[in-house]
Amino acid sequence: MAYHKRGGNRKKKNRQVQGDEVIRVPLPDRSKGQLFGVIEQALGSGWMDVRCEDGKIRRCRIPGKLKRRMWMRVGDVVIVQPWPVQTDERGDIVYRYTRTQVDWLLRRGKISQDFISGGELLF
């Protein structure tokens, strides 16, 4: 009796190759304008104030796909996709990093501890 597997191999799906190194953590797609961000304040109804790596605070919404799957808290590191219309003011949260993924980003130098704590900008 045949059955259908759902989802496939998730380990292969989440991997990216950069040179010889295999990256298991999704990074912001700069061609789409995505940025790193840290959640500053929860506003309710799926909206958050997020401090982005370019120094701007954007009011971002959590799409229903992420809202139903995971919790977002103040201090979480996320990927932000700015809106095409109000680029400097609004955006969508695309991905939330786990604690181990944030540690990996810190070790690789993708983000700095000052950026997470709110001290200074990423670059």
Side-chain angles (χ1 to χ4, degrees), residues 15 17 31 38 41 45 57 61-62 72 80 83 88 91-92:
R15 289 185 182 182
V17 178
S31 65
V38 177
Q41 184 178 10
S45 298
I57 295 180
R61 70 179 172 157
I62 305 169
M72 305 269 179
V80 174
W83 286 2
D88 295 340
D92 288 328

Side-chain angles (χ1 to χ4, degrees), residues 12 47 49 60 87-88 97:
K12 287 183 182 178
W47 288 89
D49 278 345
C60 298
T87 307
D88 295 340
Y97 290 104

Side-chain angles (χ1 to χ4, degrees), residues 18-114:
Q18 187 177 31
D20 293 335
E21 183 182 13
V22 175
I23 300 174
R24 292 183 181 90
V25 178
L27 297 174
D29 188 1
R30 303 297 180 179
S31 65
K32 295 179 182 177
Q34 294 178 352
L35 307 163
F36 283 113
V38 177
I39 297 176
E40 290 287 313
Q41 184 178 10
L43 302 171
S45 298
W47 288 89
M48 305 274 181
D49 278 345
V50 179
R51 181 176 34 87
C52 296
E53 65 183 301
D54 59 357
K56 297 177 180 155
I57 295 180
R58 290 181 173 87
R59 185 151 294 169
C60 298
R61 70 179 172 157
I62 305 169
K65 181 173 92 173
L66 289 179
K67 195 188 307 184
R68 287 185 288 274
R69 198 170 16 159
M70 64 180 64
W71 287 84
M72 305 269 179
R73 292 177 297 277
V74 173
D76 284 347
V77 179
V78 295
I79 296 177
V80 174
Q81 171 76 48
W83 286 2
V85 178
Q86 297 174 318
T87 307
D88 295 340
E89 300 171 11
R90 302 281 172 125
D92 288 328
I93 295 176
V94 179
Y95 186 80
R96 179 184 65 90
Y97 290 104
T98 62
R99 186 67 212 156
T100 55
Q101 290 173 334
V102 171
D103 292 339
W104 185 90
L105 290 170
L106 287 169
R107 276 187 278 125
R108 299 286 185 215
K110 305 291 184 187
I111 57 174
S112 66
Q113 187 64 41
D114 291 335

